[in-house]
């Protein structure tokens, strides 16, 4: 689907605040409410708008300790990769998991309350997964940039 300038502006507005009404969006875009509604529905049908979510303040929900954990599996066989991916999806503390190239096989972004909670997570959950050869943890000191906005 080719996006025109209006679609791009609409997507930017929705990414910054998806709770805006079609009336509010129509005023910003200089379109009718119906035209905005139809554009949004088309973007949803095409899968460009994937979902709408509420973003939580991780400090206020006691999940301010952020860790990037690099995982190396013992072998790169499909069975091990598939099994690891299935198991890691079940871990609530892991918000993001990427299969990557380089020295490690996966990078996990983990949110927990504090170092003690991370240790508990490592000992009782992560290191119990099969086929993990090694882990390397990097702890976030401060967040410099964190956005969900994709510029088109």
């Amino acid at each position: 689907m080719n996006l025109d300038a209006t679609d791009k502006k609409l997507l930017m507005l929705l990414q910054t605040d998806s709770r805006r009404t079609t009336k509010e969006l129509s005023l910003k875009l200089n379109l009718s409410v119906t035209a905005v509604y139809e554009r949004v529905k088309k973007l949803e049908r095409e899968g460009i708008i994937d979902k709408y979510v509420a973003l939580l303040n991780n400090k206020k929900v006691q999940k301010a300790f952020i860790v990037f954990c690099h995982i190396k599996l013992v072998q790169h066989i499909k069975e091990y990769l598939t099994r690891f991916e299935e198991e890691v999806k079940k871990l609530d503390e892991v918000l993001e998991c990427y299969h990557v190239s380089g020295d490690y096989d996966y990078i996990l972004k983990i949110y927990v309350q504090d170092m003690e909670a991370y240790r508990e997570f490592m000992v009782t959950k992560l290191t119990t997964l099969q086929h993990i050869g090694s882990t390397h943890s990097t702890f976030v000191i401060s967040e410099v940039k964190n956005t969900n906005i994709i510029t088109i």
Side-chain angles (χ1 to χ4, degrees), residues 60-121:
K60 293 192 179 198
V61 294
Q62 287 79 46
K63 300 290 183 180
F65 194 75
I66 304 168
V67 182
F68 288 95
C69 184
H70 299 73
I71 305 286
K72 189 180 292 189
L73 299 183
V74 292
Q75 273 188 297
H76 296 106
I77 60 174
K78 186 175 182 177
E79 175 191 338
Y80 290 5
L81 298 172
T82 303
R83 175 68 184 218
F84 174 79
E85 290 174 7
E86 288 170 358
E87 292 300 316
V88 82
K89 287 176 187 176
K90 298 174 187 174
L91 300 174
D92 293 335
E93 296 86 351
V94 177
L95 272 69
E96 298 175 41
C97 175
Y98 300 97
H99 187 190
V100 296
S101 64
D103 293 336
Y104 293 92
D105 299 313
Y106 292 91
I107 298 175
L108 312 181
K109 188 174 184 183
I110 300 163
Y111 283 70
V112 290
Q113 185 171 356
D114 52 24
M115 179 64 84
E116 187 176 318
Y118 183 63
R119 182 185 186 287
E120 182 70 15
F121 167 76

Side-chain angles (χ1 to χ4, degrees), residues 1 4 17 29 32 34 48 55-56 59 61 63 69 82 85-88 94 98 100 102 111 114 126 129 141-142 145:
M1 175 179 170
D4 64 19
D17 182 1
L29 297 169
S32 71
T34 303
I48 292 168
L55 300 176
L56 305 183
K59 292 175 181 80
V61 294
K63 300 290 183 180
C69 184
T82 303
E85 290 174 7
E86 288 170 358
E87 292 300 316
V88 82
V94 177
Y98 300 97
V100 296
Y111 283 70
D114 52 24
L126 189 62
L129 300 184
I141 295 170
S142 69
K145 181 178 181 180

